[in-house]
Amino acid sequence: MSYTVKQTEDDGKGMFFIEDENGIISELTYDIQENNIMTIDHTETNKSMQGKGLASIVLEKAVEFAKENNYKIDPVCPFVAKKFEEGKIDNELKA
């Protein structure tokens, strides 16, 4: 199955998310700081959709967004911090 990641942002606070006919099924929230730091503070996937890689899909879009905008990522969210530790995200992006 193919998933479309959407993004919303207002005043530096944003979210990448995947939704289905019932609403949001996976999300990642972030906050852009003045010093070009993108703090990713939360990821969550509905229990019924866990294990399908949706959090990784929204994270990939967030990383792409950070690269395009020359942001460094502050991985407050434990899931994102773990992906840095595993080498899934280039450590050069880490704030």
Side-chain angles (χ1 to χ4, degrees):
M1 180 175 224
S2 177
Y3 296 100
T4 300
V5 178
K6 298 180 181 178
Q7 179 186 16
T8 182
E9 185 176 319
D10 185 29
D11 199 27
K13 294 186 182 296
M15 177 172 66
F16 288 93
F17 61 97
I18 298 171
E19 60 186 350
D20 66 11
E21 62 278 353
N22 297 315
I24 294 174
I25 57 175
S26 188
E27 68 182 31
L28 174 151
T29 58
Y30 65 89
D31 189 12
I32 303 297
Q33 310 298 316
E34 291 180 14
N35 53 357
N36 284 345
I37 302 292
M38 179 180 179
T39 300
I40 300 177
D41 57 3
H42 177 75
T43 56
E44 184 174 351
T45 300
N46 287 359
K47 287 189 188 297
S48 65
M49 298 299 288
Q50 289 178 356
K52 300 181 186 297
L54 299 181
S56 292
I57 293 169
V58 293
L59 177 56
E60 285 174 20
K61 284 294 185 182
V63 169
E64 185 179 299
F65 176 76
K67 287 179 181 177
E68 289 171 358
N69 291 281
N70 294 314
Y71 295 142
K72 296 285 187 181
I73 297 173
D74 179 11
V76 173
C77 170
F79 175 77
V80 179
K82 182 177 178 186
K83 293 300 180 183
F84 269 107
E85 289 170 14
E86 293 174 346
K88 308 275 183 178
I89 305 171
D90 185 351
N91 271 322
E92 289 187 15
L93 285 174
K94 192 172 184 181

